[in-house]
Structures are given as C-alpha cells and as structure tokens.
Amino acid sequence: MKRTNEPDKYRKKIKRNLLASSIALALVSSNSWAIFQNGDFENGDFSHWEKEHGLNYRLKGNPPFTADSVQISNGGSFILNVVSNSFDPRAPHLVLPRQGNFTAKLNDEIGGRHINQISQKDVITEDDRDPSDGKLHIRFTYAAVLNDPNHASYQQPYFHVQLKDLTTAEILYDDIAYSNQPGRLFYTTNFNGTWRSTPFIDVDMIVPDSLIGHELEVRALAADCSQNAHGGYVYVDAFGANKIKPQ
C-alpha cells in the first residue's frame, strides 16, 4: 500500500490557503481607496495630492458665496500637516484622527491671510462599487475650525470642499461656509479667542453607473481671515469608495 507523507500534505495545504488569503487581502487593499490615491493620508503625507497656497484678501461678492467667490492671490506659504492621535483645544468635540492613523490638516490657527488647498483627479471605475449595495460610491469626511473675529462675511475665515465631474463640468458636491455663518451648525469654544467648528461631516455620494470612466476632481480649501490676524483650518480624511466608520 502506498504511504502518504501526512505532515507534508497538511503543510502544503496550509501554504496554499495562506497564499490564497494573501492574494485576496492584496486585492482588497489595492481597491480600498480606488478612486483617489492616498485618499486616507495613511502614507503620512500629501503624496498624490496637488497642493496650492496663496493669500486671502476677501471672498468675492456677497452671500451666498460659491466656488466663484474664492480668490487666491499670490503669496503665502504651504501650511499642510497630517495629525495622528491629537487633541484640538479649539474643537474639543473632534476625535483625531478621524479614521485610520492619520487625518490631514489644511492651514492652521495662526492667521496671516493664508489659503491652503489640496486637490486630486481620478477616474471612477468598477472598483468603486460597494458590494453591499451594488452601487458606486464616493465618500469623504471633513471638519472646519474657524476663528470668529466678527468681521464682515466676506472677510471671515472660511472653508470650501467640492467634488466635480470634470468630464461633464457638473458639480456633484459643493460646501463653502465662513465662520459663524447663519444657518450652519457650529460648536463654539473660547480658547485664545472665539472659535467656531463643525462636527465631522461624512459625505457618502451614490453616483450613477453612467459616470464610470468619468474623471472626477475633489478639492478642499481653508482660509484665514482677510484682515490678517485670525486663522482657519479644515481637517479632511477618507477620500475614496470605502465606508467611513461611524463617529
């Protein structure tokens, strides 16, 4: 009777199972944030993101402001950071990082008329379909922290977040608000001045299958007040197709 080397047989089976699991994990990881590279900032930096900085001399026009109200003048400097386990005394309700190990922070609390913006373009594909509902999703989360010097609306610190279909020029999502804007939910904290901050705003956009192959662009911006002395910044995280964990 032919004898089988039982230990070798089981070892080979275990190796095959481990290999299959590794391949499956690699496929899941490669697709986890398919629509935007380093969309969760887990590289610990701003790799794959376009960066722009400038100075804010005012929002153009009067409320309600839109993307066309944003004016970025030459000057300023890059103020971009990623934060890990952090506590923000100006917005103590925020848990940082929002997801994973890192959350991006655009601009800061110091002031100086600075504007900082990041953006990224990518094509939506089948990899962005959520298997739980069979639909295409774009997801991201953000929270603004803005000093409130009680300037005129067009002079206040502000933020702007937008998702645009570059193939059709359609704006899919657009949120722009200045500090203490009426009708917006802000938490108030007194910490070396008055600060108005939002909760993390979790965006989950279901997009039609007709958008497969379209190039989308996401951008996020934060601006100090136009009078120089008051800061404003925005935390952003989890740009991609994956579900965002509950807060």
Side-chain angles (χ1 to χ4, degrees), residues 88-94 105-112 114 143-150 156-159 178-181 184-199 222-225 228-235:
D88 190 334
R90 299 164 192 82
H93 61 285
L94 297 179
K105 180 183 178 182
L106 317 182
N107 230 38
D108 64 17
E109 62 275 9
I110 296 174
H114 294 285
V145 185
L146 308 170
N147 204 181
D148 182 10
N150 199 30
Q156 289 278 73
Y158 71 92
F159 73 91
Y178 59 88
S179 181
N180 206 28
Q181 178 174 311
R184 292 296 303 236
L185 172 61
F186 286 108
Y187 296 94
T188 300
T189 304
N190 293 311
F191 184 86
N192 296 328
T194 301
W195 292 83
R196 315 289 185 182
S197 55
T198 71
D224 298 335
C225 86
N228 193 59
H230 305 96
Y233 52 98
V234 64
Y235 295 108

Side-chain angles (χ1 to χ4, degrees), residues 22-43:
S22 298
I23 292 171
L25 180 61
L27 289 172
V28 169
S29 298
S30 66
N31 291 336
S32 291
W33 304 97
I35 183 63
F36 298 115
Q37 297 185 67
N38 192 30
D40 51 3
F41 305 96
E42 291 302 287
N43 289 356

Side-chain angles (χ1 to χ4, degrees), residues 206-236:
I206 297 175
V207 297
D209 286 2
S210 59
L211 264 62
I212 289 179
H214 286 211
E215 185 179 36
L216 306 185
E217 179 186 55
V218 67
R219 60 179 58 243
L221 172 152
D224 298 335
C225 86
S226 65
Q227 300 301 295
N228 193 59
H230 305 96
Y233 52 98
V234 64
Y235 295 108
V236 294

Side-chain angles (χ1 to χ4, degrees), residues 28-223:
V28 169
S29 298
S30 66
N31 291 336
S32 291
W33 304 97
I35 183 63
F36 298 115
Q37 297 185 67
N38 192 30
D40 51 3
F41 305 96
E42 291 302 287
N43 289 356
D45 57 26
F46 287 87
S47 54
H48 303 289
W49 289 91
E50 295 293 324
K51 300 172 284 289
E52 184 178 359
H53 67 82
L55 294 175
N56 173 33
Y57 286 101
R58 62 162 291 161
L59 282 163
K60 184 169 60 177
N62 296 294
F65 297 116
T66 68
D68 292 334
S69 305
V70 174
Q71 301 182 100
I72 303 177
S73 299
N74 293 334
S77 57
F78 283 119
I79 307 173
L80 299 171
N81 293 285
V82 289
V83 300
S84 52
N85 292 324
S86 301
F87 173 74
D88 190 334
R90 299 164 192 82
H93 61 285
L94 297 179
V95 177
L96 299 165
R98 171 65 183 88
Q99 182 157 287
N101 296 307
F102 298 103
T103 290
K105 180 183 178 182
L106 317 182
N107 230 38
D108 64 17
E109 62 275 9
I110 296 174
R113 290 197 182 96
H114 294 285
I115 295 179
N116 275 270
Q117 175 176 270
I118 61 170
S119 63
Q120 189 175 152
K121 304 172 185 177
D122 209 343
V123 175
I124 190 165
T125 70
E126 280 290 340
D127 288 337
D128 304 304
R129 193 179 298 281
D130 189 330
S132 68
D133 64 6
K135 298 177 181 179
L136 297 169
H137 288 257
I138 303 296
R139 294 171 167 124
F140 51 91
T141 183
Y142 61 95
V145 185
L146 308 170
N147 204 181
D148 182 10
N150 199 30
H151 294 327
S153 58
Y154 56 84
Q155 298 173 325
Q156 289 278 73
Y158 71 92
F159 73 91
H160 181 219
V161 177
Q162 184 184 85
L163 177 67
K164 184 176 183 179
D165 184 340
L166 297 180
T167 304
T168 63
E170 180 184 1
I171 304 299
L172 303 178
Y173 182 87
D174 195 65
D175 187 13
I176 182 170
Y178 59 88
S179 181
N180 206 28
Q181 178 174 311
R184 292 296 303 236
L185 172 61
F186 286 108
Y187 296 94
T188 300
T189 304
N190 293 311
F191 184 86
N192 296 328
T194 301
W195 292 83
R196 315 289 185 182
S197 55
T198 71
F200 268 105
I201 299 168
D202 297 340
V203 178
D204 183 353
M205 294 206 59
I206 297 175
V207 297
D209 286 2
S210 59
L211 264 62
I212 289 179
H214 286 211
E215 185 179 36
L216 306 185
E217 179 186 55
V218 67
R219 60 179 58 243
L221 172 152

